[in-house]
Amino acid sequence: MKVGIPRALLYHRFSILWDVYFKELGIETVLSPKTDKLIMEKGEHFGIDESCLSSKLFWGHVDCLAGKCDTIFVPRIANYGKEGYLCSRFEALYDTAVNTFRDRNVRFVCCNVDEQQKITEEKAYISLAVSLGKTKSDGKRAYRKAYAAYKQDLFVKEQAQADLLKKDDIKILILGHSYNLYDEYIGIPILNTLKKLDTIPILADHYDFDKARREYTKICKDIPWFTSRELVGALAHYENDVDGVILLTAFPCGPDSMVNEMIIRRVHDKPILNLLLDSQDGNAGIDTRLESFIDIIRFRKGAAV
């Protein structure tokens, strides 16, 4: 069996976990290509107008995998219990995929995480292994090894980022979901531009997620969304170590629009740039805004000397 994995949405968070998990089960995987203009156009075709850009990209990646694998992995994640909900699109993702591609003879396989219904992440991956013809013990072993690799990868990233914070260059905290930050078409060009401007991007998701979800209340008493808590917690942790903050959002994300407004109202001692990503071609406008933002920070730092 060959399982397809769309290179979009939660792939950018769980790529290490998924890679190790399927390898431990002895299942071959195939990734969709890196995002390009064609994938974006395909995603816009399959996604409804009200979908956020990140979701539209996901459908473009699913389309790329059709016919190239036996089944496509689409997780359904509703919540992590008291740790918070995910955006409803993640809970509906599997069902939406099945219905969107119902006329294309595309098969999908799912793991269902819903801790409020006592379906933990581990139970979900054990059930996934069984649905793929493996045993429960195979699934438990594969998940635990994959989760350990995932946590180790995050630890290494956090330590590397701690070293970056010791440098004297201008440091910019990027508050953005991993599926926006690391997408080759919409996020990576922004990180590359910041590096060309001789700044150091500090990434919100290179901070331990568990710590971030404990620290977000330093800025806001309650946020319902799991990943939004992590972003705000990273802001609370890094705020005093950076020179500016960029809010990176895919249009028209509802949770981000609310959380970003809260951040702008409550964080007053750092320059903040709110970048809204859409499907328009080219990055010239974004590059100009980034250059102006960094110029303002340099001016502030010079005036403070």
Side-chain angles (χ1 to χ4, degrees):
M1 174 177 287
K2 183 182 294 186
V3 175
I5 299 179
R7 196 193 297 259
L9 290 183
L10 293 177
Y11 166 78
H12 294 287
R13 178 186 179 111
F14 292 120
S15 58
I16 297 295
L17 190 152
W18 293 349
D19 181 58
V20 175
Y21 174 81
F22 285 112
K23 281 182 178 177
E24 286 296 310
L25 290 178
I27 293 175
E28 182 182 356
T29 58
V30 55
L31 278 178
S32 57
K34 295 177 181 179
T35 306
D36 56 18
K37 183 178 179 180
L38 180 59
I39 288 177
M40 178 178 286
E41 290 174 348
K42 288 181 178 179
E44 289 181 322
H45 170 73
F46 288 106
I48 61 174
D49 291 341
E50 292 76 12
S51 292
C52 69
L53 176 62
S54 310
S55 295
K56 291 177 180 177
L57 291 179
F58 182 81
W59 302 127
H61 283 274
V62 171
D63 179 71
C64 284
L65 289 168
K68 298 178 181 176
C69 53
D70 300 298
T71 188
I72 298 175
F73 175 53
V74 179
R76 179 198 287 123
I77 302 182
N79 64 80
Y80 283 96
K82 66 179 182 180
E83 296 292 352
Y85 297 89
L86 270 74
C87 171
S88 58
R89 64 182 159 174
F90 293 110
E91 184 174 4
L93 199 63
Y94 173 79
D95 300 292
T96 308
V98 170
N99 281 281
T100 300
F101 292 88
R102 62 186 180 277
D103 298 326
R104 296 277 301 278
N105 195 32
V106 179
R107 295 180 58 206
F108 294 93
V109 65
C110 176
C111 75
N112 179 38
V113 180
D114 189 343
E115 294 201 2
Q116 288 191 347
Q117 299 299 321
K118 303 188 184 305
I119 306 174
T120 64
E121 189 175 78
E122 181 172 316
K123 285 184 178 179
Y125 279 96
I126 291 173
S127 296
L128 172 60
V130 172
S131 72
L132 292 170
K134 308 298 179 179
T135 66
K136 289 184 178 180
S137 59
D138 288 336
K140 180 181 289 188
R141 173 186 53 78
Y143 171 75
R144 292 188 174 180
K145 187 164 185 179
Y147 185 76
Y150 163 73
K151 293 292 287 186
Q152 177 61 24
D153 178 68
L154 180 57
F155 174 78
V156 170
K157 289 175 179 175
E158 184 179 0
Q159 295 303 306
Q161 187 148 275
D163 292 337
L164 290 177
L165 289 169
K166 298 174 184 177
K167 296 187 176 183
D168 294 330
D169 306 69
I170 290 175
K171 293 174 280 289
I172 306 297
L173 176 62
I174 316 296
L175 290 183
H177 302 289
S178 55
Y179 47 81
N180 295 327
L181 278 173
Y182 306 122
D183 186 89
E184 292 286 339
Y185 195 71
I186 64 173
I188 293 297
I190 291 173
L191 299 182
N192 290 339
T193 297
L194 287 171
K195 292 174 183 177
K196 290 177 182 177
L197 293 172
D198 296 322
T199 68
I200 299 175
I202 301 299
L203 307 178
D205 73 337
H206 283 193
Y207 179 56
D208 185 272
F209 295 131
D210 296 328
K211 296 177 187 175
R213 290 194 300 275
R214 291 195 297 268
E215 295 178 22
Y216 83 92
T217 53
K218 294 177 182 178
I219 293 179
C220 182
K221 184 178 180 180
D222 189 29
I223 298 172
W225 302 289
F226 181 79
T227 52
S228 297
R229 290 181 179 184
E230 294 169 350
L231 295 180
V232 176
L235 173 60
H237 178 76
Y238 288 121
E239 182 180 357
N240 295 326
D241 299 318
V242 298
D243 302 293
V245 178
I246 292 178
L247 308 176
L248 191 65
T249 301
F251 178 82
C253 177
D256 276 4
S257 66
M258 297 177 67
V259 172
N260 289 353
E261 182 66 21
M262 179 274 295
I263 289 172
I264 292 170
R265 289 172 180 267
R266 297 194 179 187
V267 177
H268 304 291
D269 58 342
K270 299 291 178 184
I272 297 177
L273 174 63
N274 194 356
L275 274 185
L276 195 61
L277 304 174
D278 57 27
S279 57
Q280 298 298 314
D281 290 335
N283 291 315
I286 288 179
D287 287 349
T288 300
R289 294 186 66 192
L290 290 172
E291 291 168 4
S292 299
F293 183 62
I294 301 305
D295 285 344
I296 290 171
I297 291 175
R298 288 201 173 98
F299 177 80
R300 284 168 56 98
K301 288 176 69 73
V305 174

